[in-house]
mmCIF file of all heavy atoms in Angstrom:
data_model
loop_
_atom_site.group_PDB
_atom_site.id
_atom_site.type_symbol
_atom_site.label_atom_id
_atom_site.label_comp_id
_atom_site.label_asym_id
_atom_site.label_seq_id
_atom_site.Cartn_x
_atom_site.Cartn_y
_atom_site.Cartn_z
ATOM 1 N N MET A 826 10.803 0.994 -6.885
ATOM 2 C CA MET A 826 10.161 1.232 -5.579
ATOM 3 C C MET A 826 10.914 0.461 -4.500
ATOM 4 O O MET A 826 11.295 -0.680 -4.697
ATOM 5 C CB MET A 826 8.704 0.777 -5.640
ATOM 6 C CG MET A 826 7.939 1.072 -4.365
ATOM 7 S SD MET A 826 6.138 1.098 -4.592
ATOM 8 C CE MET A 826 5.834 -0.493 -5.358
ATOM 9 N N LYS A 827 11.140 1.100 -3.379
ATOM 10 C CA LYS A 827 11.879 0.474 -2.277
ATOM 11 C C LYS A 827 11.155 -0.749 -1.738
ATOM 12 O O LYS A 827 9.945 -0.726 -1.530
ATOM 13 C CB LYS A 827 12.056 1.471 -1.131
ATOM 14 C CG LYS A 827 13.084 2.524 -1.404
ATOM 15 C CD LYS A 827 13.138 3.513 -0.234
ATOM 16 C CE LYS A 827 13.816 4.798 -0.657
ATOM 17 N NZ LYS A 827 13.324 5.950 0.093
ATOM 18 N N LYS A 828 11.923 -1.803 -1.472
ATOM 19 C CA LYS A 828 11.358 -2.996 -0.847
ATOM 20 C C LYS A 828 10.952 -2.675 0.590
ATOM 21 O O LYS A 828 11.629 -1.921 1.268
ATOM 22 C CB LYS A 828 12.398 -4.128 -0.823
ATOM 23 C CG LYS A 828 12.795 -4.607 -2.198
ATOM 24 C CD LYS A 828 11.723 -5.518 -2.775
ATOM 25 C CE LYS A 828 12.143 -6.018 -4.144
ATOM 26 N NZ LYS A 828 11.005 -6.442 -4.948
ATOM 27 N N ASN A 829 9.855 -3.274 1.003
ATOM 28 C CA ASN A 829 9.400 -3.166 2.390
ATOM 29 C C ASN A 829 8.933 -1.778 2.790
ATOM 30 O O ASN A 829 8.661 -1.539 3.945
ATOM 31 C CB ASN A 829 10.482 -3.630 3.370
ATOM 32 C CG ASN A 829 10.912 -5.047 3.103
ATOM 33 O OD1 ASN A 829 10.101 -5.885 2.745
ATOM 34 N ND2 ASN A 829 12.178 -5.321 3.245
ATOM 35 N N LYS A 830 8.898 -0.866 1.853
ATOM 36 C CA LYS A 830 8.358 0.453 2.177
ATOM 37 C C LYS A 830 6.838 0.351 2.198
ATOM 38 O O LYS A 830 6.242 -0.166 1.259
ATOM 39 C CB LYS A 830 8.820 1.447 1.116
ATOM 40 C CG LYS A 830 8.268 2.831 1.271
ATOM 41 C CD LYS A 830 9.281 3.759 1.868
ATOM 42 C CE LYS A 830 8.670 5.140 2.060
ATOM 43 N NZ LYS A 830 9.557 6.026 2.781
ATOM 44 N N THR A 831 6.223 0.834 3.260
ATOM 45 C CA THR A 831 4.767 0.750 3.321
ATOM 46 C C THR A 831 4.136 1.883 2.535
ATOM 47 O O THR A 831 4.696 2.976 2.429
ATOM 48 C CB THR A 831 4.258 0.813 4.776
ATOM 49 O OG1 THR A 831 4.561 2.087 5.320
ATOM 50 C CG2 THR A 831 4.861 -0.279 5.620
ATOM 51 N N PHE A 832 2.955 1.619 2.010
ATOM 52 C CA PHE A 832 2.202 2.699 1.359
ATOM 53 C C PHE A 832 1.961 3.822 2.352
ATOM 54 O O PHE A 832 1.979 4.996 1.997
ATOM 55 C CB PHE A 832 0.853 2.184 0.849
ATOM 56 C CG PHE A 832 0.966 1.134 -0.216
ATOM 57 C CD1 PHE A 832 0.054 0.106 -0.280
ATOM 58 C CD2 PHE A 832 1.968 1.189 -1.154
ATOM 59 C CE1 PHE A 832 0.147 -0.870 -1.262
ATOM 60 C CE2 PHE A 832 2.078 0.221 -2.134
ATOM 61 C CZ PHE A 832 1.155 -0.810 -2.189
ATOM 62 N N CYS A 833 1.770 3.437 3.599
ATOM 63 C CA CYS A 833 1.511 4.428 4.644
ATOM 64 C C CYS A 833 2.662 5.418 4.779
ATOM 65 O O CYS A 833 2.451 6.573 5.128
ATOM 66 C CB CYS A 833 1.293 3.719 5.975
ATOM 67 S SG CYS A 833 -0.023 2.490 5.938
ATOM 68 N N GLY A 834 3.879 4.954 4.514
ATOM 69 C CA GLY A 834 5.044 5.807 4.685
ATOM 70 C C GLY A 834 5.397 6.626 3.463
ATOM 71 O O GLY A 834 6.352 7.407 3.498
ATOM 72 N N PHE A 835 4.662 6.457 2.366
ATOM 73 C CA PHE A 835 4.986 7.176 1.143
ATOM 74 C C PHE A 835 4.659 8.655 1.275
ATOM 75 O O PHE A 835 3.626 9.035 1.818
ATOM 76 C CB PHE A 835 4.173 6.625 -0.030
ATOM 77 C CG PHE A 835 4.757 5.391 -0.651
ATOM 78 C CD1 PHE A 835 5.826 4.735 -0.087
ATOM 79 C CD2 PHE A 835 4.206 4.888 -1.822
ATOM 80 C CE1 PHE A 835 6.353 3.598 -0.667
ATOM 81 C CE2 PHE A 835 4.724 3.748 -2.413
ATOM 82 C CZ PHE A 835 5.795 3.101 -1.841
ATOM 83 N N SER A 836 5.532 9.463 0.733
ATOM 84 C CA SER A 836 5.229 10.886 0.614
ATOM 85 C C SER A 836 4.433 11.105 -0.675
ATOM 86 O O SER A 836 4.340 10.226 -1.524
ATOM 87 C CB SER A 836 6.523 11.695 0.560
ATOM 88 O OG SER A 836 7.184 11.443 -0.661
ATOM 89 N N LYS A 837 3.910 12.302 -0.783
ATOM 90 C CA LYS A 837 3.157 12.673 -1.986
ATOM 91 C C LYS A 837 3.997 12.438 -3.240
ATOM 92 O O LYS A 837 3.519 11.896 -4.240
ATOM 93 C CB LYS A 837 2.767 14.146 -1.848
ATOM 94 C CG LYS A 837 1.733 14.629 -2.809
ATOM 95 C CD LYS A 837 1.211 15.999 -2.357
ATOM 96 C CE LYS A 837 2.366 17.008 -2.213
ATOM 97 N NZ LYS A 837 1.861 18.364 -1.898
ATOM 98 N N ASP A 838 5.278 12.830 -3.194
ATOM 99 C CA ASP A 838 6.145 12.660 -4.367
ATOM 100 C C ASP A 838 6.435 11.193 -4.649
ATOM 101 O O ASP A 838 6.502 10.785 -5.809
ATOM 102 C CB ASP A 838 7.456 13.416 -4.165
ATOM 103 C CG ASP A 838 7.269 14.919 -4.276
ATOM 104 O OD1 ASP A 838 6.265 15.352 -4.875
ATOM 105 O OD2 ASP A 838 8.120 15.657 -3.768
ATOM 106 N N GLU A 839 6.622 10.394 -3.590
ATOM 107 C CA GLU A 839 6.870 8.965 -3.795
ATOM 108 C C GLU A 839 5.662 8.285 -4.432
ATOM 109 O O GLU A 839 5.810 7.407 -5.279
ATOM 110 C CB GLU A 839 7.211 8.284 -2.462
ATOM 111 C CG GLU A 839 8.607 8.596 -1.985
ATOM 112 C CD GLU A 839 8.870 8.069 -0.582
ATOM 113 O OE1 GLU A 839 8.045 8.309 0.315
ATOM 114 O OE2 GLU A 839 9.892 7.411 -0.393
ATOM 115 N N ILE A 840 4.487 8.673 -4.025
ATOM 116 C CA ILE A 840 3.278 8.121 -4.636
ATOM 117 C C ILE A 840 3.249 8.463 -6.122
ATOM 118 O O ILE A 840 2.993 7.603 -6.975
ATOM 119 C CB ILE A 840 2.021 8.662 -3.920
ATOM 120 C CG1 ILE A 840 1.960 8.115 -2.492
ATOM 121 C CG2 ILE A 840 0.760 8.274 -4.699
ATOM 122 C CD1 ILE A 840 0.934 8.806 -1.617
ATOM 123 N N LYS A 841 3.551 9.689 -6.437
ATOM 124 C CA LYS A 841 3.534 10.115 -7.838
ATOM 125 C C LYS A 841 4.561 9.342 -8.660
ATOM 126 O O LYS A 841 4.268 8.861 -9.755
ATOM 127 C CB LYS A 841 3.819 11.628 -7.910
ATOM 128 C CG LYS A 841 3.549 12.229 -9.263
ATOM 129 C CD LYS A 841 3.486 13.750 -9.173
ATOM 130 C CE LYS A 841 4.881 14.354 -9.183
ATOM 131 N NZ LYS A 841 4.816 15.839 -9.159
ATOM 132 N N GLU A 842 5.766 9.174 -8.106
ATOM 133 C CA GLU A 842 6.842 8.498 -8.832
ATOM 134 C C GLU A 842 6.569 7.010 -9.027
ATOM 135 O O GLU A 842 7.028 6.409 -9.988
ATOM 136 C CB GLU A 842 8.170 8.660 -8.060
ATOM 137 C CG GLU A 842 8.746 10.058 -8.159
ATOM 138 C CD GLU A 842 9.797 10.316 -7.066
ATOM 139 O OE1 GLU A 842 10.242 9.349 -6.425
ATOM 140 O OE2 GLU A 842 10.152 11.498 -6.882
ATOM 141 N N ASN A 843 5.849 6.402 -8.090
ATOM 142 C CA ASN A 843 5.651 4.942 -8.117
ATOM 143 C C ASN A 843 4.222 4.551 -8.445
ATOM 144 O O ASN A 843 3.825 3.402 -8.222
ATOM 145 C CB ASN A 843 6.033 4.359 -6.750
ATOM 146 C CG ASN A 843 7.501 4.534 -6.454
ATOM 147 O OD1 ASN A 843 8.350 3.913 -7.093
ATOM 148 N ND2 ASN A 843 7.806 5.384 -5.501
ATOM 149 N N LEU A 844 3.452 5.468 -8.996
ATOM 150 C CA LEU A 844 2.015 5.243 -9.121
ATOM 151 C C LEU A 844 1.668 3.962 -9.885
ATOM 152 O O LEU A 844 0.794 3.210 -9.458
ATOM 153 C CB LEU A 844 1.356 6.455 -9.777
ATOM 154 C CG LEU A 844 -0.175 6.428 -9.770
ATOM 155 C CD1 LEU A 844 -0.703 6.365 -8.346
ATOM 156 C CD2 LEU A 844 -0.721 7.661 -10.462
ATOM 157 N N GLU A 845 2.386 3.703 -10.975
ATOM 158 C CA GLU A 845 2.032 2.515 -11.769
ATOM 159 C C GLU A 845 2.308 1.226 -10.991
ATOM 160 O O GLU A 845 1.525 0.274 -11.067
ATOM 161 C CB GLU A 845 2.785 2.524 -13.102
ATOM 162 C CG GLU A 845 2.268 3.635 -14.003
ATOM 163 C CD GLU A 845 2.875 3.588 -15.397
ATOM 164 O OE1 GLU A 845 3.653 2.658 -15.681
ATOM 165 O OE2 GLU A 845 2.578 4.492 -16.193
ATOM 166 N N ASP A 846 3.419 1.193 -10.232
ATOM 167 C CA ASP A 846 3.695 0.029 -9.394
ATOM 168 C C ASP A 846 2.650 -0.106 -8.293
ATOM 169 O O ASP A 846 2.199 -1.207 -7.977
ATOM 170 C CB ASP A 846 5.080 0.151 -8.751
ATOM 171 C CG ASP A 846 6.196 -0.028 -9.764
ATOM 172 O OD1 ASP A 846 5.978 -0.730 -10.765
ATOM 173 O OD2 ASP A 846 7.278 0.527 -9.547
ATOM 174 N N ILE A 847 2.292 1.014 -7.702
ATOM 175 C CA ILE A 847 1.317 0.984 -6.609
ATOM 176 C C ILE A 847 -0.019 0.442 -7.101
ATOM 177 O O ILE A 847 -0.640 -0.394 -6.433
ATOM 178 C CB ILE A 847 1.145 2.393 -5.997
ATOM 179 C CG1 ILE A 847 2.441 2.814 -5.291
ATOM 180 C CG2 ILE A 847 -0.030 2.417 -5.023
ATOM 181 C CD1 ILE A 847 2.467 4.273 -4.868
ATOM 182 N N ILE A 848 -0.451 0.868 -8.266
ATOM 183 C CA ILE A 848 -1.735 0.408 -8.799
ATOM 184 C C ILE A 848 -1.764 -1.117 -8.898
ATOM 185 O O ILE A 848 -2.767 -1.746 -8.540
ATOM 186 C CB ILE A 848 -2.022 1.072 -10.167
ATOM 187 C CG1 ILE A 848 -2.363 2.552 -9.953
ATOM 188 C CG2 ILE A 848 -3.174 0.358 -10.888
ATOM 189 C CD1 ILE A 848 -2.378 3.364 -11.243
ATOM 190 N N LEU A 849 -0.642 -1.702 -9.332
ATOM 191 C CA LEU A 849 -0.588 -3.165 -9.462
ATOM 192 C C LEU A 849 -0.665 -3.861 -8.108
ATOM 193 O O LEU A 849 -1.012 -5.047 -8.028
ATOM 194 C CB LEU A 849 0.698 -3.583 -10.177
ATOM 195 C CG LEU A 849 0.810 -3.145 -11.634
ATOM 196 C CD1 LEU A 849 2.180 -3.522 -12.181
ATOM 197 C CD2 LEU A 849 -0.289 -3.782 -12.480
ATOM 198 N N LEU A 850 -0.342 -3.169 -7.041
ATOM 199 C CA LEU A 850 -0.322 -3.757 -5.700
ATOM 200 C C LEU A 850 -1.591 -3.472 -4.903
ATOM 201 O O LEU A 850 -1.757 -3.963 -3.797
ATOM 202 C CB LEU A 850 0.894 -3.233 -4.919
ATOM 203 C CG LEU A 850 2.252 -3.683 -5.472
ATOM 204 C CD1 LEU A 850 3.375 -2.858 -4.871
ATOM 205 C CD2 LEU A 850 2.483 -5.154 -5.212
ATOM 206 N N VAL A 851 -2.479 -2.674 -5.451
ATOM 207 C CA VAL A 851 -3.714 -2.340 -4.726
ATOM 208 C C VAL A 851 -4.981 -2.624 -5.536
ATOM 209 O O VAL A 851 -6.077 -2.298 -5.095
ATOM 210 C CB VAL A 851 -3.727 -0.852 -4.280
ATOM 211 C CG1 VAL A 851 -2.506 -0.536 -3.428
ATOM 212 C CG2 VAL A 851 -3.825 0.090 -5.460
ATOM 213 N N ASN A 852 -4.809 -3.243 -6.729
ATOM 214 C CA ASN A 852 -5.968 -3.385 -7.621
ATOM 215 C C ASN A 852 -6.951 -4.465 -7.191
ATOM 216 O O ASN A 852 -8.084 -4.495 -7.662
ATOM 217 C CB ASN A 852 -5.505 -3.586 -9.066
ATOM 218 C CG ASN A 852 -4.628 -4.801 -9.232
ATOM 219 O OD1 ASN A 852 -4.311 -5.483 -8.260
ATOM 220 N ND2 ASN A 852 -4.210 -5.063 -10.446
ATOM 221 N N GLU A 853 -6.493 -5.356 -6.290
ATOM 222 C CA GLU A 853 -7.412 -6.353 -5.714
ATOM 223 C C GLU A 853 -7.196 -6.362 -4.209
ATOM 224 O O GLU A 853 -6.654 -7.314 -3.647
ATOM 225 C CB GLU A 853 -7.142 -7.733 -6.324
ATOM 226 C CG GLU A 853 -7.485 -7.813 -7.793
ATOM 227 C CD GLU A 853 -7.173 -9.190 -8.381
ATOM 228 O OE1 GLU A 853 -6.769 -10.090 -7.622
ATOM 229 O OE2 GLU A 853 -7.336 -9.353 -9.597
ATOM 230 N N PRO A 854 -7.607 -5.311 -3.539
ATOM 231 C CA PRO A 854 -7.237 -5.151 -2.131
ATOM 232 C C PRO A 854 -7.851 -6.192 -1.220
ATOM 233 O O PRO A 854 -9.032 -6.520 -1.330
ATOM 234 C CB PRO A 854 -7.755 -3.749 -1.783
ATOM 235 C CG PRO A 854 -8.820 -3.481 -2.777
ATOM 236 C CD PRO A 854 -8.406 -4.193 -4.035
ATOM 237 N N ARG A 855 -7.025 -6.744 -0.351
ATOM 238 C CA ARG A 855 -7.480 -7.729 0.644
ATOM 239 C C ARG A 855 -7.167 -7.279 2.062
ATOM 240 O O ARG A 855 -7.607 -7.890 3.013
ATOM 241 C CB ARG A 855 -6.826 -9.087 0.355
ATOM 242 C CG ARG A 855 -7.292 -9.681 -0.970
ATOM 243 C CD ARG A 855 -6.636 -11.034 -1.208
ATOM 244 N NE ARG A 855 -6.845 -11.904 -0.068
ATOM 245 C CZ ARG A 855 -5.899 -12.672 0.482
ATOM 246 N NH1 ARG A 855 -4.700 -12.680 -0.009
ATOM 247 N NH2 ARG A 855 -6.163 -13.442 1.505
ATOM 248 N N TYR A 856 -6.378 -6.232 2.186
ATOM 249 C CA TYR A 856 -6.006 -5.726 3.509
ATOM 250 C C TYR A 856 -6.252 -4.230 3.570
ATOM 251 O O TYR A 856 -6.085 -3.523 2.571
ATOM 252 C CB TYR A 856 -4.520 -5.986 3.789
ATOM 253 C CG TYR A 856 -4.199 -7.451 3.928
ATOM 254 C CD1 TYR A 856 -3.924 -8.217 2.801
ATOM 255 C CD2 TYR A 856 -4.200 -8.063 5.174
ATOM 256 C CE1 TYR A 856 -3.657 -9.572 2.913
ATOM 257 C CE2 TYR A 856 -3.924 -9.418 5.297
ATOM 258 C CZ TYR A 856 -3.655 -10.168 4.160
ATOM 259 O OH TYR A 856 -3.396 -11.497 4.279
ATOM 260 N N ILE A 857 -6.641 -3.775 4.753
ATOM 261 C CA ILE A 857 -6.792 -2.341 4.979
ATOM 262 C C ILE A 857 -5.930 -1.968 6.175
ATOM 263 O O ILE A 857 -5.779 -2.759 7.112
ATOM 264 C CB ILE A 857 -8.274 -1.958 5.206
ATOM 265 C CG1 ILE A 857 -8.413 -0.451 5.331
ATOM 266 C CG2 ILE A 857 -8.866 -2.697 6.410
ATOM 267 C CD1 ILE A 857 -9.855 0.043 5.200
ATOM 268 N N CYS A 858 -5.349 -0.790 6.143
ATOM 269 C CA CYS A 858 -4.591 -0.304 7.287
ATOM 270 C C CYS A 858 -5.565 0.338 8.268
ATOM 271 O O CYS A 858 -6.283 1.265 7.899
ATOM 272 C CB CYS A 858 -3.535 0.709 6.848
ATOM 273 S SG CYS A 858 -2.631 1.345 8.262
ATOM 274 N N ARG A 859 -5.566 -0.160 9.503
ATOM 275 C CA ARG A 859 -6.537 0.369 10.463
ATOM 276 C C ARG A 859 -6.086 1.700 11.051
ATOM 277 O O ARG A 859 -6.819 2.319 11.809
ATOM 278 C CB ARG A 859 -6.824 -0.653 11.570
ATOM 279 C CG ARG A 859 -5.657 -1.018 12.442
ATOM 280 C CD ARG A 859 -6.106 -2.062 13.477
ATOM 281 N NE ARG A 859 -4.990 -2.710 14.114
ATOM 282 C CZ ARG A 859 -4.355 -2.213 15.183
ATOM 283 N NH1 ARG A 859 -4.721 -1.073 15.686
ATOM 284 N NH2 ARG A 859 -3.349 -2.876 15.709
ATOM 285 N N LYS A 860 -4.889 2.122 10.719
ATOM 286 C CA LYS A 860 -4.425 3.433 11.172
ATOM 287 C C LYS A 860 -4.645 4.483 10.098
ATOM 288 O O LYS A 860 -5.056 5.606 10.393
ATOM 289 C CB LYS A 860 -2.940 3.346 11.541
ATOM 290 C CG LYS A 860 -2.347 4.654 12.003
ATOM 291 C CD LYS A 860 -0.944 4.433 12.550
ATOM 292 C CE LYS A 860 -0.281 5.778 12.797
ATOM 293 N NZ LYS A 860 0.994 5.903 12.093
ATOM 294 N N CYS A 861 -4.363 4.115 8.821
ATOM 295 C CA CYS A 861 -4.322 5.111 7.747
ATOM 296 C C CYS A 861 -5.448 4.942 6.724
ATOM 297 O O CYS A 861 -5.597 5.791 5.854
ATOM 298 C CB CYS A 861 -2.992 5.024 7.006
ATOM 299 S SG CYS A 861 -1.571 4.832 8.090
ATOM 300 N N ALA A 862 -6.185 3.831 6.783
ATOM 301 C CA ALA A 862 -7.271 3.538 5.849
ATOM 302 C C ALA A 862 -6.781 3.318 4.422
ATOM 303 O O ALA A 862 -7.561 3.403 3.483
ATOM 304 C CB ALA A 862 -8.368 4.602 5.884
ATOM 305 N N ARG A 863 -5.485 3.047 4.245
ATOM 306 C CA ARG A 863 -4.997 2.641 2.929
ATOM 307 C C ARG A 863 -5.320 1.154 2.716
ATOM 308 O O ARG A 863 -5.465 0.417 3.689
ATOM 309 C CB ARG A 863 -3.491 2.879 2.816
ATOM 310 C CG ARG A 863 -3.124 4.333 2.630
ATOM 311 C CD ARG A 863 -1.628 4.483 2.800
ATOM 312 N NE ARG A 863 -1.136 5.752 2.289
ATOM 313 C CZ ARG A 863 -1.118 6.888 2.979
ATOM 314 N NH1 ARG A 863 -1.584 6.919 4.211
ATOM 315 N NH2 ARG A 863 -0.632 7.985 2.444
ATOM 316 N N VAL A 864 -5.381 0.728 1.456
ATOM 317 C CA VAL A 864 -5.646 -0.681 1.164
ATOM 318 C C VAL A 864 -4.539 -1.252 0.294
ATOM 319 O O VAL A 864 -3.819 -0.519 -0.378
ATOM 320 C CB VAL A 864 -7.017 -0.874 0.470
ATOM 321 C CG1 VAL A 864 -8.149 -0.456 1.382
ATOM 322 C CG2 VAL A 864 -7.072 -0.136 -0.851
ATOM 323 N N SER A 865 -4.411 -2.593 0.320
ATOM 324 C CA SER A 865 -3.334 -3.259 -0.412
ATOM 325 C C SER A 865 -3.716 -4.699 -0.702
ATOM 326 O O SER A 865 -4.500 -5.305 0.029
ATOM 327 C CB SER A 865 -2.058 -3.237 0.441
ATOM 328 O OG SER A 865 -1.043 -4.000 -0.163
ATOM 329 N N ASN A 866 -3.140 -5.244 -1.784
ATOM 330 C CA ASN A 866 -3.343 -6.663 -2.080
ATOM 331 C C ASN A 866 -2.675 -7.540 -1.027
ATOM 332 O O ASN A 866 -3.122 -8.659 -0.773
ATOM 333 C CB ASN A 866 -2.737 -7.016 -3.442
ATOM 334 C CG ASN A 866 -3.422 -6.294 -4.588
ATOM 335 O OD1 ASN A 866 -4.332 -5.506 -4.389
ATOM 336 N ND2 ASN A 866 -2.960 -6.548 -5.796
ATOM 337 N N THR A 867 -1.583 -7.046 -0.439
ATOM 338 C CA THR A 867 -0.840 -7.806 0.564
ATOM 339 C C THR A 867 -0.697 -6.967 1.828
ATOM 340 O O THR A 867 -0.683 -5.731 1.772
ATOM 341 C CB THR A 867 0.565 -8.181 0.052
ATOM 342 O OG1 THR A 867 1.257 -6.983 -0.303
ATOM 343 C CG2 THR A 867 0.486 -9.096 -1.159
ATOM 344 N N GLY A 868 -0.578 -7.651 2.969
ATOM 345 C CA GLY A 868 -0.512 -6.927 4.232
ATOM 346 C C GLY A 868 0.819 -6.252 4.491
ATOM 347 O O GLY A 868 0.907 -5.349 5.308
ATOM 348 N N ASP A 869 1.872 -6.682 3.781
ATOM 349 C CA ASP A 869 3.202 -6.191 4.135
ATOM 350 C C ASP A 869 3.481 -4.760 3.690
ATOM 351 O O ASP A 869 4.542 -4.222 3.972
ATOM 352 C CB ASP A 869 4.274 -7.142 3.595
ATOM 353 C CG ASP A 869 4.208 -7.305 2.084
ATOM 354 O OD1 ASP A 869 3.311 -6.720 1.441
ATOM 355 O OD2 ASP A 869 5.048 -8.019 1.534
ATOM 356 N N ARG A 870 2.543 -4.160 2.994
ATOM 357 C CA ARG A 870 2.733 -2.779 2.552
ATOM 358 C C ARG A 870 1.962 -1.786 3.422
ATOM 359 O O ARG A 870 1.873 -0.598 3.066
ATOM 360 C CB ARG A 870 2.280 -2.630 1.099
ATOM 361 C CG ARG A 870 3.202 -3.316 0.109
ATOM 362 C CD ARG A 870 4.450 -2.522 -0.087
ATOM 363 N NE ARG A 870 5.382 -3.164 -1.013
ATOM 364 C CZ ARG A 870 6.513 -2.589 -1.403
ATOM 365 N NH1 ARG A 870 6.835 -1.400 -1.002
ATOM 366 N NH2 ARG A 870 7.317 -3.217 -2.210
ATOM 367 N N LEU A 871 1.390 -2.262 4.500
ATOM 368 C CA LEU A 871 0.612 -1.397 5.390
ATOM 369 C C LEU A 871 1.220 -1.441 6.785
ATOM 370 O O LEU A 871 1.782 -2.447 7.190
ATOM 371 C CB LEU A 871 -0.847 -1.865 5.434
ATOM 372 C CG LEU A 871 -1.568 -1.911 4.084
ATOM 373 C CD1 LEU A 871 -2.898 -2.612 4.231
ATOM 374 C CD2 LEU A 871 -1.742 -0.525 3.513
ATOM 375 N N CYS A 872 1.078 -0.323 7.539
ATOM 376 C CA CYS A 872 1.696 -0.305 8.867
ATOM 377 C C CYS A 872 0.865 -1.061 9.898
ATOM 378 O O CYS A 872 1.416 -1.631 10.834
ATOM 379 C CB CYS A 872 1.996 1.126 9.311
ATOM 380 S SG CYS A 872 0.582 2.213 9.503
ATOM 381 N N LYS A 873 -0.472 -1.068 9.743
ATOM 382 C CA LYS A 873 -1.342 -1.803 10.671
ATOM 383 C C LYS A 873 -2.360 -2.610 9.872
ATOM 384 O O LYS A 873 -3.554 -2.314 9.883
ATOM 385 C CB LYS A 873 -2.080 -0.827 11.600
ATOM 386 C CG LYS A 873 -1.188 0.031 12.463
ATOM 387 C CD LYS A 873 -0.612 -0.783 13.611
ATOM 388 C CE LYS A 873 0.252 0.144 14.489
ATOM 389 N NZ LYS A 873 0.952 -0.641 15.522
ATOM 390 N N PRO A 874 -1.900 -3.624 9.115
ATOM 391 C CA PRO A 874 -2.795 -4.333 8.209
ATOM 392 C C PRO A 874 -3.851 -5.164 8.932
ATOM 393 O O PRO A 874 -3.553 -5.791 9.954
ATOM 394 C CB PRO A 874 -1.843 -5.242 7.418
ATOM 395 C CG PRO A 874 -0.678 -5.436 8.311
ATOM 396 C CD PRO A 874 -0.530 -4.156 9.082
ATOM 397 N N VAL A 875 -5.048 -5.137 8.401
ATOM 398 C CA VAL A 875 -6.137 -5.988 8.861
ATOM 399 C C VAL A 875 -6.774 -6.593 7.624
ATOM 400 O O VAL A 875 -7.075 -5.872 6.657
ATOM 401 C CB VAL A 875 -7.194 -5.175 9.645
ATOM 402 C CG1 VAL A 875 -8.350 -6.072 10.073
ATOM 403 C CG2 VAL A 875 -6.568 -4.485 10.845
ATOM 404 N N ALA A 876 -6.973 -7.917 7.619
ATOM 405 C CA ALA A 876 -7.590 -8.578 6.475
ATOM 406 C C ALA A 876 -9.042 -8.116 6.338
ATOM 407 O O ALA A 876 -9.769 -8.035 7.328
ATOM 408 C CB ALA A 876 -7.526 -10.081 6.639
ATOM 409 N N MET A 877 -9.431 -7.816 5.126
ATOM 410 C CA MET A 877 -10.813 -7.424 4.860
ATOM 411 C C MET A 877 -11.618 -8.655 4.465
ATOM 412 O O MET A 877 -11.076 -9.716 4.196
ATOM 413 C CB MET A 877 -10.878 -6.413 3.714
ATOM 414 C CG MET A 877 -10.241 -5.090 4.059
ATOM 415 S SD MET A 877 -10.645 -3.832 2.843
ATOM 416 C CE MET A 877 -9.709 -4.389 1.404
ATOM 417 N N GLY A 878 -12.912 -8.490 4.362
ATOM 418 C CA GLY A 878 -13.752 -9.576 3.876
ATOM 419 C C GLY A 878 -14.341 -10.380 5.007
ATOM 420 O O GLY A 878 -14.181 -10.070 6.172
ATOM 421 N N LYS A 879 -14.992 -11.472 4.609
ATOM 422 C CA LYS A 879 -15.784 -12.218 5.581
ATOM 423 C C LYS A 879 -14.907 -13.151 6.397
ATOM 424 O O LYS A 879 -13.988 -13.714 5.926
ATOM 425 C CB LYS A 879 -16.876 -13.022 4.871
ATOM 426 C CG LYS A 879 -17.688 -12.176 3.921
ATOM 427 C CD LYS A 879 -17.495 -12.638 2.464
ATOM 428 C CE LYS A 879 -18.003 -11.611 1.471
ATOM 429 N NZ LYS A 879 -17.559 -11.889 0.113
HETATM 430 ZN ZN1 LIG B 303 -0.917 2.600 7.822
#
């Protein structure tokens, strides 16, 4: 999987090809993208990350 590529920028095929890696990066989500509603364990994989939680 490409470094620094955001989940937001993935195409349907890229998601399919990298699904197992993606699962490891979203299984304990702490950030949500306020543009795309995707979630991630780390903010650097989202285009507009916002920390979730209290
Ligand atoms: Zn996004």
Side-chain angles (χ1 to χ4, degrees):
M826 184 160 54
K827 285 177 198 151
K828 295 282 181 202
N829 302 323
K830 176 102 182 173
T831 65
F832 296 145
C833 304
F835 278 8
S836 69
K837 194 167 56 175
D838 287 339
E839 285 172 311
I840 293 168
K841 192 165 82 177
E842 286 163 14
N843 295 291
L844 189 60
E845 291 186 3
D846 289 332
I847 293 170
I848 288 168
L849 294 175
L850 294 166
V851 303
N852 59 357
E853 293 179 4
R855 294 181 53 224
Y856 293 86
I857 184 165
C858 178
R859 63 181 165 85
K860 179 171 171 236
C861 317
R863 284 169 164 86
V864 296
S865 173
N866 296 2
T867 57
D869 59 358
R870 289 284 179 175
L871 302 170
C872 62
K873 300 285 182 187
V875 178
M877 294 192 290
K879 309 115 195 167

